[in-house]
Amino acid sequence: MKKKIVVLTGAGMSVESGLKTFRDADGLWEEYPVQQVATHEGWEADPTLVTNFYNMLRRKCWGVQPNEGHKLVAKLEEKYDVVVVTQNVDNLHEMAGSTNVIHLHGELMKVCSSRDVDDPRYQIQLTPDNCEVEPGTKAGDGSLLRPFIVFFGEAVPNITVAAEQAQQADIFIIIGTSLNVYPAAGLIHYVRPGVPVYLIDPNPISAGSGVRQIQKGASAGMRELCAELM
């Protein structure tokens, strides 16, 4: 039986692909106030603004490609049972070939009912040639189509599934996240004692004892780690 690797990724995973982070000094929250485009209150106040913001993000996302880090995470599946838990809403892990991806904060390439976000009957997968939603478009239940994104203040429905995966990990890898955003940051506490934990990030991060940091970007860090694991 293959050993299980659980990989937790954050915004730093996709930076090398050309996608801005939200929280850095030049991040998207500097340009677009989070209260306006990433909260339920913002959606209620101006759904057209929110719809157009995520249309813009989709256009940017379809213009980039997975980087070497994404591809090396996918390559781990040759030898391991790999589950990717990502805080990112892009689909770069899937594009790189990862087959088991849990999105904690939603998926940019989907839209859904604004009445019941989690009803699969009204979730629509968008495509590169049809990635924009006309403001005012209705879902199958008659409510406005909204981004399939977990807005600030909303529950994170996949966190329980992610925690179960973390508990089963034989190796736990963290890439491109400061471990400051909860509940995702708490997943490290579900890892069993004695399980190797690797943290790949160019910035020094205090992650507690027993965590080995590879202080490099996603691609260089994964090259170093794969040389050991593969």
Side-chain angles (χ1 to χ4, degrees):
M1 183 180 293
K2 292 181 177 180
K3 285 188 173 181
K4 186 185 200 75
I5 291 182
V6 176
V7 185
L8 171 64
T9 67
M13 184 81 228
S14 297
V15 165
E16 291 174 35
S17 292
L19 292 181
K20 278 188 175 183
T21 65
F22 286 93
R23 289 180 170 76
D24 286 348
D26 64 342
L28 285 166
W29 295 150
E30 292 289 315
E31 302 175 43
Y32 302 91
V34 60
Q35 295 85 359
Q36 290 183 8
V37 296
T39 65
H40 182 73
E41 292 75 19
W43 166 257
E44 290 286 331
D46 194 343
T48 296
L49 173 69
V50 176
T51 297
N52 285 330
F53 173 75
Y54 288 96
N55 282 339
M56 178 270 295
L57 289 187
R58 289 188 204 100
R59 289 194 300 271
K60 288 180 180 293
C61 196
W62 282 122
V64 303
Q65 294 296 321
N67 59 56
E68 185 183 4
H70 290 108
K71 294 173 183 176
L72 289 172
V73 168
K75 187 176 176 63
L76 289 173
E77 293 189 19
E78 294 176 3
K79 189 173 179 181
Y80 298 92
D81 174 15
V82 181
V83 177
V84 178
V85 179
T86 186
Q87 299 171 77
N88 300 334
V89 295
D90 62 58
N91 62 343
L92 292 174
H93 279 298
E94 289 90 341
M95 289 174 66
S98 289
T99 60
N100 193 349
V101 183
I102 298 169
H103 285 269
L104 292 180
H105 296 157
E107 298 178 59
L108 183 60
M109 299 307 166
K110 288 183 179 179
V111 287
C112 60
S113 159
S114 54
R115 182 176 299 141
D116 187 352
V117 174
D118 296 314
D119 190 330
R121 292 178 297 172
Y122 307 120
Q123 293 171 3
I124 300 171
Q125 180 77 47
L126 301 176
T127 59
D129 57 354
N130 183 29
C131 68
E132 297 190 31
V133 175
E134 185 71 26
T137 304
K138 300 289 183 67
D141 63 356
S143 69
L144 285 177
L145 273 180
R146 60 159 268 185
F148 187 59
I149 299 293
V150 177
F151 289 149
F152 283 92
E154 293 182 334
V156 180
N158 280 337
I159 193 65
T160 301
V161 178
E164 290 171 354
Q165 294 296 329
Q167 287 176 323
Q168 298 170 19
D170 298 304
I171 300 169
F172 194 75
I173 304 171
I174 304 162
I175 309 173
T177 176
S178 62
L179 294 178
N180 287 328
V181 179
Y182 284 83
L187 290 173
I188 192 172
H189 302 302
Y190 287 88
V191 179
R192 290 169 291 137
V195 167
V197 178
Y198 301 91
L199 170 60
I200 297 172
D201 198 278
N203 303 308
I205 294 173
S206 178
S209 61
V211 177
R212 175 184 157 194
Q213 179 167 7
I214 299 174
Q215 203 167 333
K216 297 180 178 180
S219 294
M222 278 302 298
R223 281 198 299 272
E224 180 175 325
L225 186 54
C226 282
E228 294 184 27
L229 298 180
M230 300 293 283

